[in-house]
Structure formats: structure tokens, C-alpha cells
CSV table of all heavy atoms in Angstrom, one decimal:
chain,number,residue,atom,x,y,z
A,1,VAL,N,-19.1,140.6,-29.4
A,1,VAL,CA,-19.0,139.2,-29.8
A,1,VAL,C,-19.4,138.4,-28.7
A,1,VAL,O,-20.1,137.3,-28.9
A,1,VAL,CB,-17.5,139.0,-30.3
A,1,VAL,CG1,-17.3,137.5,-30.5
A,1,VAL,CG2,-17.3,139.7,-31.5
A,2,LYS,N,-18.8,138.6,-27.4
A,2,LYS,CA,-19.3,137.9,-26.2
A,2,LYS,C,-20.8,137.7,-26.1
A,2,LYS,O,-21.4,136.7,-25.7
A,2,LYS,CB,-18.6,138.3,-24.9
A,2,LYS,CG,-17.1,137.9,-24.9
A,2,LYS,CD,-16.5,138.4,-23.7
A,2,LYS,CE,-15.0,138.2,-23.8
A,2,LYS,NZ,-14.3,138.8,-22.5
A,3,MET,N,-21.4,138.9,-26.1
A,3,MET,CA,-22.9,139.1,-25.9
A,3,MET,C,-23.7,138.3,-27.1
A,3,MET,O,-24.5,137.4,-26.7
A,3,MET,CB,-23.3,140.5,-26.1
A,3,MET,CG,-24.9,140.7,-25.8
A,3,MET,SD,-25.4,142.3,-26.2
A,3,MET,CE,-25.1,142.5,-27.9
A,4,LEU,N,-23.2,138.3,-28.3
A,4,LEU,CA,-23.9,137.6,-29.5
A,4,LEU,C,-23.6,136.0,-29.2
A,4,LEU,O,-24.4,135.1,-29.5
A,4,LEU,CB,-23.4,138.0,-30.7
A,4,LEU,CG,-23.9,139.3,-31.1
A,4,LEU,CD1,-23.2,139.9,-32.4
A,4,LEU,CD2,-25.4,139.3,-31.3
A,5,ALA,N,-22.4,135.7,-28.7
A,5,ALA,CA,-22.0,134.3,-28.5
A,5,ALA,C,-22.8,133.7,-27.4
A,5,ALA,O,-23.4,132.5,-27.5
A,5,ALA,CB,-20.6,134.1,-28.3
A,6,SER,N,-23.0,134.5,-26.4
A,6,SER,CA,-23.9,133.9,-25.3
A,6,SER,C,-25.2,133.7,-25.7
A,6,SER,O,-26.0,132.8,-25.3
A,6,SER,CB,-23.8,134.9,-24.2
A,6,SER,OG,-24.4,136.0,-24.4
A,7,LYS,N,-25.7,134.6,-26.5
A,7,LYS,CA,-27.2,134.4,-27.1
A,7,LYS,C,-27.3,133.3,-27.9
A,7,LYS,O,-28.3,132.4,-27.9
A,7,LYS,CB,-27.6,135.7,-27.9
A,7,LYS,CG,-28.0,136.8,-27.1
A,7,LYS,CD,-28.5,138.0,-27.8
A,7,LYS,CE,-28.9,139.2,-26.9
A,7,LYS,NZ,-29.4,140.4,-27.6
A,8,ILE,N,-26.3,133.0,-28.8
A,8,ILE,CA,-26.3,131.8,-29.7
A,8,ILE,C,-26.1,130.6,-28.8
A,8,ILE,O,-26.8,129.5,-29.1
A,8,ILE,CB,-25.2,131.9,-30.7
A,8,ILE,CG1,-25.5,133.0,-31.7
A,8,ILE,CG2,-25.0,130.7,-31.5
A,8,ILE,CD1,-24.4,133.4,-32.6
A,9,ASP,N,-25.3,130.5,-27.9
A,9,ASP,CA,-25.0,129.4,-27.1
A,9,ASP,C,-26.2,129.0,-26.2
A,9,ASP,O,-26.3,127.8,-25.7
A,9,ASP,CB,-23.7,129.5,-26.2
A,9,ASP,CG,-22.5,129.4,-27.1
A,9,ASP,OD1,-22.6,128.9,-28.2
A,9,ASP,OD2,-21.4,130.0,-26.6
A,10,SER,N,-27.0,130.0,-25.8
A,10,SER,CA,-28.0,129.7,-24.8
A,10,SER,C,-29.2,128.8,-25.3
A,10,SER,O,-29.9,128.3,-24.6
A,10,SER,CB,-28.6,131.0,-24.3
A,10,SER,OG,-29.5,131.7,-25.2
A,11,ASP,N,-29.3,128.7,-26.7
A,11,ASP,CA,-30.3,127.9,-27.3
A,11,ASP,C,-31.8,128.5,-26.8
A,11,ASP,O,-32.8,127.7,-27.0
A,11,ASP,CB,-30.3,126.3,-26.9
A,11,ASP,CG,-29.2,125.7,-27.6
A,11,ASP,OD1,-28.7,126.2,-28.6
A,11,ASP,OD2,-28.8,124.6,-27.2
A,12,LYS,N,-31.8,129.6,-26.5
A,12,LYS,CA,-33.1,130.2,-26.1
A,12,LYS,C,-33.3,131.4,-27.1
A,12,LYS,O,-32.5,132.3,-27.2
A,12,LYS,CB,-33.0,130.8,-24.7
A,12,LYS,CG,-33.1,129.6,-23.6
A,12,LYS,CD,-33.1,130.2,-22.3
A,12,LYS,CE,-33.0,129.1,-21.3
A,12,LYS,NZ,-32.9,129.6,-20.0
A,13,GLU,N,-34.5,131.3,-27.7
A,13,GLU,CA,-34.8,132.4,-28.7
A,13,GLU,C,-35.6,133.4,-27.9
A,13,GLU,O,-36.6,133.2,-27.4
A,13,GLU,CB,-35.6,131.8,-29.9
A,13,GLU,CG,-35.9,132.9,-30.9
A,13,GLU,CD,-36.8,132.3,-32.0
A,13,GLU,OE1,-36.8,131.0,-32.1
A,13,GLU,OE2,-37.4,133.0,-32.6
A,14,THR,N,-35.1,134.6,-28.0
A,14,THR,CA,-35.9,135.7,-27.2
A,14,THR,C,-37.0,136.0,-28.1
A,14,THR,O,-37.0,136.3,-29.3
A,14,THR,CB,-35.0,136.9,-27.0
A,14,THR,OG1,-34.5,137.3,-28.2
A,14,THR,CG2,-33.9,136.6,-26.0
A,15,THR,N,-38.2,135.9,-27.6
A,15,THR,CA,-39.4,136.4,-28.4
A,15,THR,C,-40.2,137.4,-27.6
A,15,THR,O,-40.1,137.5,-26.4
A,15,THR,CB,-40.4,135.1,-28.4
A,15,THR,OG1,-40.6,134.6,-27.1
A,15,THR,CG2,-39.7,134.0,-29.2
A,16,ILE,N,-40.7,138.3,-28.4
A,16,ILE,CA,-41.5,139.4,-27.9
A,16,ILE,C,-42.9,139.2,-28.5
A,16,ILE,O,-43.1,139.1,-29.6
A,16,ILE,CB,-41.0,140.7,-28.4
A,16,ILE,CG1,-39.6,140.9,-27.8
A,16,ILE,CG2,-41.9,141.8,-27.8
A,16,ILE,CD1,-38.9,142.2,-28.3
A,17,LEU,N,-43.9,138.7,-27.6
A,17,LEU,CA,-45.2,138.5,-28.0
A,17,LEU,C,-46.2,139.6,-27.6
A,17,LEU,O,-46.0,140.2,-26.5
A,17,LEU,CB,-45.7,137.3,-27.4
A,17,LEU,CG,-45.0,136.0,-27.8
A,17,LEU,CD1,-45.5,134.7,-27.0
A,17,LEU,CD2,-45.1,135.8,-29.3
A,18,ASP,N,-47.1,140.0,-28.4
A,18,ASP,CA,-48.1,141.0,-28.3
A,18,ASP,C,-49.1,140.5,-27.2
A,18,ASP,O,-49.5,139.3,-27.3
A,18,ASP,CB,-48.7,141.3,-29.6
A,18,ASP,CG,-49.7,142.4,-29.4
A,18,ASP,OD1,-49.6,143.3,-28.6
A,18,ASP,OD2,-50.7,142.4,-30.3
A,19,GLN,N,-49.3,141.3,-26.3
A,19,GLN,CA,-50.2,140.8,-25.1
A,19,GLN,C,-51.6,140.6,-25.8
A,19,GLN,O,-52.2,139.5,-25.3
A,19,GLN,CB,-50.4,142.0,-24.1
A,19,GLN,CG,-51.2,141.6,-22.8
A,19,GLN,CD,-50.5,140.5,-22.1
A,19,GLN,OE1,-49.3,140.3,-22.2
A,19,GLN,NE2,-51.2,139.7,-21.4
A,20,GLN,N,-52.0,141.2,-26.8
A,20,GLN,CA,-53.3,141.0,-27.3
A,20,GLN,C,-53.2,139.5,-28.0
A,20,GLN,O,-54.3,138.7,-27.9
A,20,GLN,CB,-53.7,141.9,-28.4
A,20,GLN,CG,-55.1,141.8,-29.0
A,20,GLN,CD,-55.4,142.8,-30.0
A,20,GLN,OE1,-54.5,143.6,-30.4
A,20,GLN,NE2,-56.7,143.0,-30.6
A,21,THR,N,-52.2,139.3,-28.7
A,21,THR,CA,-52.0,137.9,-29.3
A,21,THR,C,-52.1,136.7,-28.4
A,21,THR,O,-52.8,135.7,-28.5
A,21,THR,CB,-50.7,137.8,-30.1
A,21,THR,OG1,-50.7,138.8,-30.9
A,21,THR,CG2,-50.6,136.5,-30.8
A,22,ILE,N,-51.4,137.0,-27.2
A,22,ILE,CA,-51.4,136.0,-26.1
A,22,ILE,C,-52.8,135.8,-25.5
A,22,ILE,O,-53.3,134.7,-25.3
A,22,ILE,CB,-50.5,136.4,-25.0
A,22,ILE,CG1,-49.1,136.3,-25.4
A,22,ILE,CG2,-50.6,135.5,-23.7
A,22,ILE,CD1,-48.0,136.9,-24.5
A,23,GLU,N,-53.5,136.8,-25.3
A,23,GLU,CA,-55.0,136.8,-24.9
A,23,GLU,C,-55.9,136.1,-25.7
A,23,GLU,O,-56.6,135.2,-25.4
A,23,GLU,CB,-55.5,138.2,-24.6
A,23,GLU,CG,-56.8,138.2,-23.8
A,23,GLU,CD,-56.6,137.7,-22.4
A,23,GLU,OE1,-55.6,137.7,-21.8
A,23,GLU,OE2,-57.6,137.2,-21.9
A,24,GLN,N,-55.7,136.4,-27.1
A,24,GLN,CA,-56.6,135.7,-28.1
A,24,GLN,C,-56.2,134.1,-28.1
A,24,GLN,O,-57.2,133.4,-28.1
A,24,GLN,CB,-56.3,136.3,-29.5
A,24,GLN,CG,-56.8,137.6,-29.7
A,24,GLN,CD,-56.4,138.2,-31.1
A,24,GLN,OE1,-55.6,137.6,-31.8
A,24,GLN,NE2,-57.1,139.3,-31.5
A,25,CYS,N,-54.9,133.8,-28.0
A,25,CYS,CA,-54.6,132.4,-28.0
A,25,CYS,C,-55.1,131.7,-26.8
A,25,CYS,O,-55.7,130.6,-26.8
A,25,CYS,CB,-53.0,132.3,-28.0
A,25,CYS,SG,-52.5,130.7,-28.0
A,26,ARG,N,-55.2,132.4,-25.6
A,26,ARG,CA,-55.7,131.7,-24.4
A,26,ARG,C,-57.2,131.6,-24.5
A,26,ARG,O,-57.7,130.6,-24.2
A,26,ARG,CB,-55.4,132.6,-23.2
A,26,ARG,CG,-55.7,132.1,-21.8
A,26,ARG,CD,-55.5,133.0,-20.8
A,26,ARG,NE,-56.3,134.2,-20.8
A,26,ARG,CZ,-57.6,134.3,-20.5
A,26,ARG,NH1,-58.2,133.3,-20.2
A,26,ARG,NH2,-58.2,135.4,-20.8
A,27,ILE,N,-57.9,132.6,-25.1
A,27,ILE,CA,-59.3,132.4,-25.3
A,27,ILE,C,-59.6,131.3,-26.2
A,27,ILE,O,-60.7,130.6,-26.0
A,27,ILE,CB,-59.9,133.8,-25.8
A,27,ILE,CG1,-59.9,134.8,-24.7
A,27,ILE,CG2,-61.3,133.6,-26.3
A,27,ILE,CD1,-60.2,136.3,-25.1
A,28,LYS,N,-58.8,131.1,-27.3
A,28,LYS,CA,-59.1,130.1,-28.2
A,28,LYS,C,-58.9,128.8,-27.6
A,28,LYS,O,-59.7,127.8,-27.8
A,28,LYS,CB,-58.1,130.2,-29.5
A,28,LYS,CG,-58.7,131.3,-30.5
A,28,LYS,CD,-57.7,131.4,-31.6
A,28,LYS,CE,-58.1,132.5,-32.5
A,28,LYS,NZ,-57.2,132.7,-33.7
A,29,LEU,N,-57.8,128.6,-26.7
A,29,LEU,CA,-57.6,127.4,-26.1
A,29,LEU,C,-58.7,127.1,-25.1
A,29,LEU,O,-59.1,125.9,-24.9
A,29,LEU,CB,-56.2,127.5,-25.3
A,29,LEU,CG,-55.0,127.3,-26.2
A,29,LEU,CD1,-53.8,127.5,-25.3
A,29,LEU,CD2,-54.9,126.0,-26.7
């Protein structure tokens, strides 16, 4: 419960992005 509460309170969404997706986005930019 403490772990989940800290995740909820942090206002930070953990995201896992594919390296290929990041590279494609950078190239498009």
C-alpha cells in the first residue's frame, strides 16, 4: 500500500518507451 501510495502521490507516470520509437520520433522532429 505504501509503495502504491507513493506512486500515486508522486504525480509521475512511469513510462517505458521503445528505443526504436524514440529514434523515429527524433528523426521526424
Side-chain angles (χ1 to χ4, degrees):
V1 169
K2 285 181 184 177
M3 180 187 68
L4 288 173
S6 68
K7 285 184 179 180
I8 290 172
D9 288 340
S10 70
D11 284 344
K12 293 181 181 175
E13 180 183 342
T14 58
T15 57
I16 300 172
L17 295 176
D18 182 25
Q19 188 64 26
Q20 184 181 7
T21 305
I22 292 172
E23 190 63 28
Q24 286 175 352
C25 182
R26 188 185 60 77
I27 290 171
K28 285 181 183 177
L29 283 174

